[in-house]
Amino acid sequence: AVVGFSPDGTKIAYATPPELEGQSLRTVLVVPASGGAPVAKFSLPADSGYYRWTHDGAALAFLSGGNVSNLFRQPLSGGAAQQLTRFTEGQIWSQEWMSGGTFVLLNRRLGEVSNLWGVAAGGPDPVALTDFVTGSIFDVRSTPDGKSVVFTYGIESQDAVLVKNFR
């Protein structure tokens, strides 16, 4: 699976499916966009997915955890992945890194209901930003300046909500 270009466009990351390698880990390679040998290679759990570049391009963020998903950050420089959330229930369906890279929006589902959560990129516990009792969040996007967030919410993905000056 192709993760995509780094924020500065100089690198491309992609993950190999573990079943192709017959392993329980997924290999992630980062290569120069201009071609050449990998500049980073690391192994992540087979259940990892939904990879995203961090705002500064120094790491890849990903979701992992099976029935309970959490957010992790894997530095390109190597070492162990840093676990950013420690949820004990529910699924994270998406992540959106805000401008500046210090805050991450999470679309988290508990049972049949989705809510928007926020977590500092290296900091304290996640905080619920919405408190919906029904419905789903289908997609989340932020403006380039990080001051507004728009997401689709409801029973169908045709409903939209705009949150301004949200910090």
Side-chain angles (χ1 to χ4, degrees), residues 3-4 7 15 35 44 47 56 59 66-67 70 76 81-83 110 115 121-122 143 146 149:
V3 176
L44 299 177
D47 68 358
D56 61 4
N67 291 333
N70 279 288
L76 296 187
Q82 175 189 14
Q83 187 170 350
L110 287 166
N115 274 288
T143 55
V149 175

Side-chain angles (χ1 to χ4, degrees), residues 100-163:
T102 60
F103 193 76
V104 187
L105 291 174
L106 304 173
N107 175 3
R108 182 170 177 234
R109 188 170 187 88
L110 287 166
E112 298 298 317
V113 180
S114 298
N115 274 288
L116 197 60
W117 287 68
V119 62
D125 295 330
V127 174
L129 302 174
T130 61
D131 188 22
F132 299 124
V133 294
T134 63
S136 295
I137 295 173
F138 298 98
D139 196 12
V140 179
R141 297 282 186 254
S142 64
T143 55
D145 65 6
K147 292 183 180 177
S148 298
V149 175
V150 66
F151 56 95
T152 54
Y153 165 79
I155 297 172
E156 296 185 27
S157 61
Q158 297 171 358
D159 303 327
V161 176
L162 174 65
V163 180

Side-chain angles (χ1 to χ4, degrees), residues 1-4 13-18 25-29 42-54 59-64 71-72 74 95 97:
V2 175
V3 176
Y14 63 94
T16 61
L25 297 174
R26 184 180 301 269
T27 301
V28 177
L29 295 167
F42 41 88
S43 296
L44 299 177
D47 68 358
S48 66
Y50 204 80
Y51 306 98
R52 291 287 182 259
W53 285 95
T54 56
L60 289 175
F62 64 94
L63 304 177
S64 186
L71 179 66
F72 295 79
Q74 174 63 57
Q95 55 173 306
W97 286 76

Side-chain angles (χ1 to χ4, degrees), residues 10-35:
T10 63
K11 297 179 280 299
I12 300 170
Y14 63 94
T16 61
E19 54 274 4
L20 291 182
E21 298 180 356
Q23 298 183 20
S24 61
L25 297 174
R26 184 180 301 269
T27 301
V28 177
L29 295 167
V30 179
V31 297
S34 59

